[in-house]
Amino acid sequence: VTAAGYEYNVDKYEFRLSGLLNYFKAKELTAEECERFLLFGGECNYLLHLGSDFHLHPVKEYGAGGWLTATKFLRDSPANWTDEDINDLLDVAEAAVNESVEDLQLRGRVIRKKRAIGLIPQANQVLTREALDDTVLRCQSQLQTMNHGTGPNVPFCAFNGGRDVWVDVGNKRVGVEVLGSYLGVDASEVLHIGDQFLNTGNDYAARDVCPCIWITSPEETTYILKTILRFAGANYAIDEHEKEEAKKILAGKIKTSSSNVDFGEVERRAQAVQEMDVFTGELLVRNNSLMKS
């Protein structure tokens, strides 16, 4: 479940996830294993699955087996949203973000997507954390005044993305709830792992529907996933070195000098950043070597 929302333009998601998808291909996952990988883009708006060709494909929305049809019974399912309610929310959010840009004299620009409003930095500029948080709080406050103080008619998430601000239609609570219902997985069997659990983050809402773990680094995520595999009965052992690394991670003392760094992958990702606008999803240069067929 990710905030990145490019509608159903699968090549843009693949560009962002090219390292993971190439890894799946290198491991020669079976068709059944590939089908288990799903991606919810835009918090809860665009559902995709991994095919046996190691490419992402949109999941059918309506009709028999459609994820929107199957989850319409859920109160906050995107199947129940109207275009009018969506645009009303986006109009208020856009006005609030523009107010922040003017009042705080921010060197940023406002963009509007089909189901999101974004504040992103101008070229070669940086928006401070305080300015980003202030914009988020302003958006949250003004959205809650809609409909005489009851808030908008559809769920939303206003959050500080670290370098930008986004106000999305929907949130990760809805994403987790809808995905769990569609797959027939009870909330007690779901674990949401995220790094943005403050009230200006976009993982906070997921706490309403399932257990969550607040992580602070990729190393901590790796340790948690390996632990889950062991608890699930997978034949995987954590060696003494990994145990010591885990203690340092949990103590906030992450040792990086002993990490095995794939410098080729680092270079590939650095090149990818130069060729895709991660804010808008615009592919500036298409380099086929980044996501091999």
Side-chain angles (χ1 to χ4, degrees):
V1 179
T2 175
Y6 307 121
E7 300 184 35
Y8 283 112
N9 296 308
V10 295
D11 56 337
K12 297 180 180 181
Y13 296 102
E14 289 182 351
F15 203 93
R16 293 283 298 270
L17 295 174
S18 56
L20 180 62
L21 299 183
N22 283 333
Y23 179 81
F24 287 161
K25 186 175 183 179
K27 290 298 182 179
E28 299 181 341
L29 297 188
T30 66
E32 181 181 0
E33 290 169 335
C34 288
E35 286 292 335
R36 295 175 187 168
F37 182 84
L38 291 101
L39 174 73
F40 229 153
E43 311 282 2
C44 60
N45 286 286
Y46 313 110
L47 185 59
L48 305 102
H49 72 93
L50 182 65
S52 58
D53 57 356
F54 299 98
H55 286 281
L56 295 172
H57 302 274
V59 175
K60 181 181 177 181
E61 290 188 337
Y62 295 101
W67 71 269
L68 284 175
T69 299
T71 61
K72 188 174 176 60
F73 72 96
L74 296 172
R75 184 192 64 182
D76 288 331
S77 170
N80 300 315
W81 303 346
T82 67
D83 289 341
E84 181 181 4
D85 287 338
I86 290 171
N87 287 319
D88 284 348
L89 187 156
L90 294 177
D91 288 344
V92 174
E94 186 173 18
V97 173
N98 277 314
E99 281 184 14
S100 283
V101 172
E102 182 177 353
D103 290 350
L104 302 178
Q105 295 295 292
L106 301 179
R107 294 184 177 89
R109 63 187 181 97
V110 180
I111 60 176
R112 180 165 178 153
K113 294 185 178 182
K114 186 176 180 179
R115 294 195 174 181
I117 299 295
L119 169 63
I120 65 176
Q122 295 176 358
N124 302 316
Q125 299 294 326
V126 175
L127 299 174
T128 66
R129 180 182 63 81
E130 294 80 5
L132 296 174
D133 279 344
D134 190 274
T135 302
V136 169
L137 295 173
R138 182 191 298 246
C139 289
Q140 291 175 345
S141 176
Q142 294 196 16
L143 286 168
Q144 291 297 348
T145 66
M146 293 179 65
N147 296 318
H148 307 289
T150 62
N153 292 328
V154 293
F156 73 93
C157 177
F159 69 96
N160 176 351
R163 294 183 296 165
D164 48 20
V165 166
W166 290 96
V167 182
D168 292 332
V169 180
N171 55 41
K172 290 189 176 181
R173 173 184 63 79
V174 176
V176 171
E177 185 177 32
V178 166
L179 190 57
S181 175
Y182 180 65
L183 297 175
V185 178
D186 188 79
S188 63
E189 299 295 320
V190 175
L191 180 64
H192 179 80
I193 302 174
D195 62 354
Q196 289 275 17
F197 282 102
L198 297 177
N199 64 346
T200 54
N202 68 337
D203 290 304
Y204 185 80
R207 298 177 66 171
D208 290 342
V209 292
C210 71
C212 298
I213 291 182
W214 190 341
I215 58 94
T216 58
S217 68
E219 291 87 354
E220 189 174 5
T221 304
T222 300
Y223 173 73
I224 290 168
L225 293 177
K226 289 178 177 179
T227 301
I228 292 172
L229 287 173
R230 288 195 301 113
F231 287 155
N235 186 22
Y236 181 87
I238 297 179
D239 59 31
E240 291 301 318
H241 173 71
E242 288 178 318
K243 288 181 181 179
E244 290 301 315
E245 288 294 290
K247 290 179 181 178
K248 294 172 184 176
I249 290 169
L250 297 176
K253 300 176 180 179
I254 300 173
K255 183 178 179 181
T256 58
S257 59
S258 61
S259 299
N260 295 320
V261 178
D262 183 342
F263 289 101
E265 177 66 5
V266 171
E267 175 61 25
R268 187 197 66 77
R269 294 186 184 188
Q271 184 68 20
V273 169
Q274 297 174 23
E275 298 181 2
M276 177 177 178
D277 186 330
V278 296
F279 300 113
T280 64
E282 180 183 3
L283 295 174
L284 305 178
V285 178
R286 183 63 179 177
N287 184 341
N288 292 327
S289 66
L290 294 173
M291 184 57 204
K292 298 179 181 177
S293 300

